[in-house]
Amino acid sequence: MDPNLLEEYKIIYGIYENYNQQILEFKGWSVTIGIAALIAAYTKPVSSFGRIGVLIAAFAAIPFWLTETFWKLFQRSYLDRILEIEACARVQSSEATSCNSVQIATSWKNAFQESKWDYWIGGAFDPHVLLPHLALLVVGVALAIWCPPGRGSGQG
C-alpha cells in the first residue's frame, strides 16, 4: 500500500474520531443548559412566567440537536474516503482512481454535496444523535403541561 495513502488514512481517521469527542461536548452542553434552564424556570423570581419559562428551557435543546445533526453529517462525509482507502488496502491495486493519495478535501466535498435532505433528516433521527436532546425536550414539555412552576402556590 502506498505510504502516502496510509498517512492519509491515519489523518482522516483521526479527524473522524475527533468529531465523536466534539459531539459528546454538544451533548454535555445540551444537558447542562437544558437542566439548568429547567431548574431556573422553577425558581421563585422566574416561576411567574410559568409554562412559558419551562417551554423555553425545553426548546433550548433544539439548537444543540440541529448542530449535532450537521456535525454528524460533516463527520459522515469523511467516511466515504476512509472506506475507499480500506478497499485499496484490501485489493492492493493502485490503478483505481480512489487509490490515489491526497484526496481528503475532494472526497469530503463530493460526499457532502451528494448528501440529500433525507440523509440529513435520517441523521437527525438517529438515536445516537437524537439523545439526549429529545429527552430534554419531552421532559420539559411534559413538565410545562402537567407540572408548571408555581402550581402548588396558586401561580401558573
Side-chain angles (χ1 to χ4, degrees):
M1 182 172 176
D2 177 10
N4 292 331
L5 202 55
L6 181 59
E7 187 62 29
E8 182 178 343
Y9 181 83
K10 290 176 184 177
I11 290 168
I12 296 172
Y13 192 78
I15 292 168
Y16 183 85
E17 285 300 315
N18 283 337
Y19 272 94
N20 290 332
Q21 180 61 39
Q22 294 163 354
I23 286 169
L24 286 175
E25 289 179 25
F26 288 136
K27 290 179 184 302
W29 277 104
S30 179
V31 169
T32 301
I33 290 173
I35 290 175
L38 285 172
I39 290 169
Y42 283 90
T43 62
K44 264 303 190 211
V46 180
S47 66
S48 62
F49 293 105
R51 286 186 172 98
I52 293 172
V54 178
L55 287 173
I56 290 170
F59 290 127
I62 293 174
F64 288 102
W65 176 31
L66 294 175
T67 303
E68 184 178 340
T69 301
F70 277 112
W71 216 242
K72 198 67 173 170
L73 178 62
F74 297 156
Q75 180 190 34
R76 288 178 183 165
S77 295
Y78 284 104
L79 189 57
D80 287 350
R81 184 63 181 158
I82 289 172
L83 296 174
E84 285 176 356
I85 295 172
E86 288 177 357
C88 291
R90 280 193 306 274
V91 174
Q92 294 294 324
S93 170
S94 59
E95 295 176 15
T97 57
S98 65
C99 293
N100 294 335
S101 60
V102 193
Q103 299 295 314
I104 296 173
T106 302
S107 176
W108 187 92
K109 179 183 160 206
N110 292 340
F112 186 77
Q113 286 178 340
E114 290 173 11
S115 300
K116 305 286 187 242
W117 277 105
D118 57 339
Y119 186 74
W120 184 85
I121 291 170
F125 290 97
D126 180 334
H128 294 98
V129 175
L130 194 57
L131 295 173
H133 315 295
L134 180 65
L136 289 168
L137 183 62
V138 168
V139 166
V141 171
L143 285 171
I145 292 170
W146 292 295
C147 189
R151 186 177 190 185
S153 62
Q155 296 176 359

